[in-house]
Amino acid sequence: MSLTGKVALITGASNGIGKAVALRLAADGASIVINYHTDGASATALVSRIGADRALAVQADVSQLDSITALVDAAVARFGKIDILMPNAGILLMRDLSSATPSDFDRTFSLNVRGPLFLAQAAAPHMAAGSRVVFVTTGLNTATTITPGYLLYAASKGAVHQMTRALAKDLGRRGITVNAVAPGPTATELFMEGKTEAVLRGMEAQSPFGRVGTPEEVADVVAFLAGEGSRWVSGQVVRVNGAFMV
């Protein structure tokens, strides 16, 4: 489906799922605001790949409210509106109950929960009827295989799940849909970091397809949620995991 004339703002878009979504939505015709925190080189390369006429890279720490405001202002100054919002930036600190600290909690919830909430608040005045918000949660929220180290991450993504439900009712009054994708194991740089070959093979063995997912497969689902075909889908969390979790 064509997204020509649409403007998408994606946080954490210089790598991983965010990058794959940026490329997919750009291929469908959208202009893309690429938010990054530290990897400016990747963001700049992505702008060149999409085309400087349809892409803008903006550095911002979207756990901070002033940075969120600056990001939205930059997007609107360049493109005049926001049609698709994907708060994708996140952090995963492996902590169980005994090792979690208040600082860990604050870092996790500032980026994974407060950031998406107040980004949506800042962007909403610039979004017309027919616009889309796509949050990112996790398949771990329903996985019986969750391990203790995912305590803070899963808690934060559970909050995003509930945010999706509430905001679908809120923004639906303005004709804006709100959904989320919940990826399972996906071969991003962050996911692959620190995992041994044995761990990866074990995860693959749990999938009926014998593999983990790709960022592009998640991006395909986001593209559907961003398009006209999803106009009657709102308040939903779509699991994208190849039956790894059902």
Side-chain angles (χ1 to χ4, degrees):
M1 297 183 184
S2 175
L3 295 177
T4 300
K6 302 295 186 181
V7 177
L9 191 165
I10 306 166
T11 68
S14 58
N15 291 288
I17 289 172
K19 177 180 177 180
V21 172
L23 288 170
R24 173 56 199 269
L25 299 189
D28 289 349
S31 297
I32 313 293
V33 179
I34 301 159
N35 161 250
Y36 69 96
H37 185 202
T38 57
D39 194 353
S42 292
T44 299
L46 189 54
V47 169
S48 297
R49 186 169 173 182
I50 295 170
D53 58 325
R54 289 199 298 121
L56 171 69
V58 181
Q59 193 280 332
D61 176 358
V62 288
S63 70
Q64 303 299 314
L65 299 185
D66 56 349
S67 294
I68 288 171
T69 300
L71 171 61
V72 170
D73 288 348
V76 174
R78 173 66 182 274
F79 294 113
K81 60 175 182 171
I82 298 170
D83 299 294
I84 301 158
L85 181 69
M86 185 179 180
N88 168 72
I91 188 172
L92 196 170
L93 300 177
M94 294 299 291
R95 303 285 192 274
D96 63 9
L97 183 61
S98 64
S99 61
T101 68
S103 176
D104 295 332
F105 180 93
D106 290 344
R107 286 180 63 198
T108 299
F109 275 74
S110 290
L111 184 56
N112 293 5
V113 183
R114 185 175 69 175
L117 173 61
F118 288 102
L119 179 61
Q121 183 186 69
H126 307 285
M127 302 178 75
S131 294
R132 309 282 188 253
V133 178
V134 183
F135 290 114
V136 181
T137 179
T138 175
L140 289 171
N141 285 339
T142 55
T144 58
T145 53
I146 190 169
T147 58
Y150 286 101
L151 172 63
L152 296 179
Y153 181 73
S156 70
K157 291 301 187 178
V160 174
H161 185 138
Q162 298 308 318
M163 188 190 309
T164 301
R165 298 174 66 237
L167 287 183
K169 298 286 191 177
D170 190 340
L171 294 179
R173 297 177 296 182
R174 294 182 45 212
I176 298 170
T177 66
V178 182
N179 294 290
V181 289
T186 306
T188 64
E189 298 89 337
L190 180 63
F191 173 79
M192 301 296 282
E193 184 179 345
K195 289 185 173 62
T196 66
E197 191 71 15
V199 168
L200 291 172
R201 297 294 83 80
M203 288 186 172
E204 290 172 351
Q206 295 180 60
S207 166
F209 292 93
R211 65 177 180 85
V212 300
T214 68
E216 290 74 22
E217 288 166 328
V218 179
D220 288 342
V221 178
V222 175
F224 165 70
L225 293 174
E228 178 63 17
S230 68
R231 62 191 176 277
W232 200 232
V233 180
S234 195
Q236 307 305 307
V237 176
V238 183
R239 301 184 207 175
V240 191
N241 63 50
F244 187 92
M245 292 163 265
V246 296

